[in-house]
Amino acid sequence: MRTDTLKYKYSYNADQADLYQTLVNEQLKYFQRTDPRIRHLEKGTKIQAQLTTKMKKFTTTNTMTVKDIVKNKLFQFETKQPDGEILQTYEFETNKRGKKFLIYSEQNTFNNARNQTNFIFIGMLYKFFYNRGVKKRMQYLDDLAIG
């Protein structure tokens, strides 16, 4: 795994198709809060959003674009910020023993080499908070999918 990529592997209980649909529905709601005209998500769906940066903690205008969508397998979108890009991926995986996982990852790319290096060092500390937040998000989606 690249040093600029954060990754969390979650063992889920819901039916895979239900969890995938819940994930897409929640992302759709997020996109619709910014642009109510969006009716469904597909590759290329795009919004402009005001988000707080991880490194400098200030609000910037960002473009979020659905990069790839494979039913019941993958949902990926990219957030372009003034300082760089974040590629966020939700991917379903089953190991050799049949255990099911939803893997969430964020690959961070910065326009400035100094910011990229800083993120690698800060990323080690940030990973603790990242894991806690992502675990809560995954449990929320899992519980929502189960009903």
Side-chain angles (χ1 to χ4, degrees), residues 8 10 130-140:
Y8 187 83
Y10 177 78
Y130 167 86
N131 283 349
R132 253 181 43 194
V134 173
K135 181 179 180 182
K136 281 183 176 179
R137 174 79 174 150
M138 297 294 202
Q139 287 174 331
Y140 168 77

Side-chain angles (χ1 to χ4, degrees), residues 1-2 4-12 19 23-24 26-27 30-31 51-52 54 64-65 68 73-79 81 85-93 100-108 119 126-127 129-139 141:
M1 177 171 71
R2 294 171 42 146
D4 59 1
T5 302
L6 299 170
K7 187 175 180 179
Y8 187 83
K9 195 172 189 175
Y10 177 78
S11 174
Y12 62 92
L19 182 55
L23 167 65
V24 171
E26 290 295 299
Q27 288 301 133
Y30 182 82
F31 272 59
L51 301 171
T52 303
K54 290 177 189 163
M64 297 177 77
T65 307
D68 203 0
K73 300 273 184 210
L74 176 87
F75 183 81
Q76 184 178 67
F77 60 100
E78 178 182 65
T79 303
Q81 305 177 325
E85 302 169 358
I86 303 169
L87 184 64
Q88 297 165 267
T89 305
Y90 290 89
E91 189 168 13
F92 289 85
E93 178 184 282
K100 305 176 294 180
F101 295 96
L102 176 55
I103 301 167
Y104 174 75
S105 65
E106 290 182 5
Q107 181 181 343
N108 296 270
F119 180 78
Y126 176 70
K127 178 85 168 122
F129 297 103
Y130 167 86
N131 283 349
R132 253 181 43 194
V134 173
K135 181 179 180 182
K136 281 183 176 179
R137 174 79 174 150
M138 297 294 202
Q139 287 174 331
L141 292 170

Side-chain angles (χ1 to χ4, degrees), residues 24-37:
V24 171
N25 290 345
E26 290 295 299
Q27 288 301 133
L28 176 60
K29 287 178 194 174
Y30 182 82
F31 272 59
Q32 287 174 329
R33 281 194 295 271
T34 302
D35 185 350
R37 298 171 297 170

Side-chain angles (χ1 to χ4, degrees), residues 12-63:
Y12 62 92
N13 298 306
D15 175 75
Q16 183 173 334
D18 292 342
L19 182 55
Y20 177 83
Q21 193 57 54
T22 299
L23 167 65
V24 171
N25 290 345
E26 290 295 299
Q27 288 301 133
L28 176 60
K29 287 178 194 174
Y30 182 82
F31 272 59
Q32 287 174 329
R33 281 194 295 271
T34 302
D35 185 350
R37 298 171 297 170
I38 296 174
R39 296 289 170 232
H40 66 280
L41 296 177
E42 61 188 10
K43 191 173 182 178
T45 302
K46 188 181 293 192
I47 61 169
Q48 295 282 322
Q50 298 294 314
L51 301 171
T52 303
T53 62
K54 290 177 189 163
M55 300 281 289
K56 296 179 183 171
K57 298 295 181 198
F58 58 84
T59 303
T60 59
T61 300
N62 302 272
T63 303

